[in-house]
Amino acid sequence: MTISGSTRVFMVLGDPVAQVQAPQIFNRVFQRFGVDAVLVPAQVRADCLSAFAHAVLAAGNIDGLWLTIPHKTTLVSELARMDACARAAQSVNAVRRQANGELEGALFDGLGLVGALRHFGIEPRGLRVLLLGAGGAGAAIAAALLDHGVARLALHDLGSRATELAGRLADGDDGRISVQSADPEGFDLVINATPLGLRADDPLPFDVRRLDARAKVVDILMKPQPTPLLRACAERGIEAHPGFEMLVQQVPHYLSFFGMDAIAETLKTDLSDVRLGLQSL
């Protein structure tokens, strides 16, 4: 990769950022298609995010931001426009500058998760789902799962976040949403959208022994090695998947949002190169 004065710059903001995989994925895509652009990570504290985002997007050659833990909900009140998923979840993971200088956001986590489920052979329609974590990613996933016809969606998080998310999504959900404990018994699919597992000494997000034998698990954490949750599921013979495919499935959506529609359409037909690049990390 050659960086020059004409290179377009994108940034992925988080705290921490050591776990992010987006730079490796998107820089590979940029190189493959001859796009003079680069995506770089930046570790930004939550109390600095607003000022940082406005400052960097004022630069003429910085075209957009990816947002990851814990920043997906922070900028919502400062955006002039959001897509429908972002409005429902009150969360964004992509922000761009409009021609008039206002900021616009979009949310792709939920679409990525649904795409990943289908890649794994799991059709969400009709499933009983327990979703652990009601932050930015969890909110996106909840909105997408409801939109794609799950039969039941139970939310769990610390504090009041699960209740607040359930309230935002309740309109038109036909009573499918509930707030409950982290007990996975009785669910077809359990999704970990909490940060538990980022550190080696984190507890498991739920008791794997309570899973139904045929239940499926997705841990959305982007870790190069199996998370403690995935290892615990493997010991029980439970089908469990990491979060990498969720990111793979979001790639075309990000590219379209940032004006690279032709590349996005090409990748939609075959994401194998993106997947291969991620697996090689």
Side-chain angles (χ1 to χ4, degrees):
M1 177 178 293
T2 300
I3 305 295
S4 70
S6 62
T7 300
R8 311 307 297 178
V9 178
F10 299 91
M11 307 183 81
V12 52
L13 311 184
D15 187 20
V17 290
Q19 80 285 357
V20 298
Q21 306 294 329
Q24 294 94 319
I25 293 174
F26 285 93
N27 289 330
R28 179 184 173 99
V29 171
F30 295 155
Q31 286 182 287
R32 173 185 169 188
F33 290 95
V35 179
D36 186 10
V38 63
L39 174 63
V40 296
Q43 184 170 352
V44 181
R45 297 195 320 268
D47 61 337
C48 299
L49 179 66
S50 177
F52 184 90
H54 284 278
V56 298
L57 287 176
N61 66 326
I62 297 181
D63 285 354
L65 305 175
W66 277 243
L67 300 177
T68 188
I69 295 172
H71 298 327
K72 295 181 181 183
T73 61
T74 307
L75 292 180
V76 165
S77 63
E78 302 178 41
L79 301 177
R81 293 177 57 192
M82 293 186 288
D83 67 4
C85 279
R87 285 195 301 274
Q90 287 296 290
S91 173
V92 295
N93 58 2
V95 175
R96 66 187 178 190
R97 178 186 60 249
Q98 299 182 74
N100 63 2
E102 293 179 332
L103 302 186
E104 178 180 2
L107 184 63
F108 308 126
D109 284 334
L111 295 174
L113 189 280
V114 169
L117 289 177
R118 288 175 171 157
H119 176 75
F120 298 142
I122 304 170
E123 172 55 47
R125 185 168 298 278
L127 294 184
R128 299 166 299 171
V129 183
L130 171 61
L131 174 61
L132 304 165
I141 291 167
L145 288 174
L146 291 170
D147 193 44
H148 287 81
V150 297
R152 178 186 174 196
L153 179 62
L155 306 175
H156 174 76
D157 206 335
L158 300 177
S160 61
R161 292 207 300 185
T163 300
E164 292 167 358
L165 176 58
R168 294 202 305 272
L169 298 176
D171 184 28
D173 80 298
D174 301 322
R176 290 177 291 164
I177 300 177
S178 63
V179 177
Q180 71 151 67
S181 72
D183 184 0
E185 185 179 18
F187 290 94
D188 306 306
L189 174 65
V190 180
I191 301 170
N192 177 40
T194 78
L196 293 175
L198 283 177
R199 300 188 307 179
D201 59 349
D202 281 341
L204 293 178
F206 62 89
D207 187 350
V208 172
R209 296 170 298 179
R210 298 280 294 168
L211 282 165
D212 292 359
R214 295 187 178 182
K216 311 290 193 303
V217 172
V218 176
D219 188 349
I220 75 166
L221 292 180
M222 306 292 177
K223 297 273 288 182
Q225 69 275 0
T227 63
L229 175 58
L230 294 179
R231 292 197 298 269
C233 288
E235 290 172 2
R236 262 210 65 194
I238 298 292
E239 180 182 334
H241 302 278
F244 298 114
E245 185 63 30
M246 177 177 155
L247 181 54
V248 169
Q249 295 290 331
Q250 292 180 67
V251 169
H253 298 289
Y254 274 103
L255 293 171
S256 290
F257 183 72
F258 289 117
M260 294 172 255
D261 294 303
I263 299 173
E265 290 303 313
T266 298
L267 288 178
K268 282 180 183 178
T269 64
D270 184 6
L271 283 163
S272 58
D273 187 67
V274 175
R275 199 171 290 118
L276 180 64
L278 186 56
Q279 291 171 349
S280 67
L281 297 178

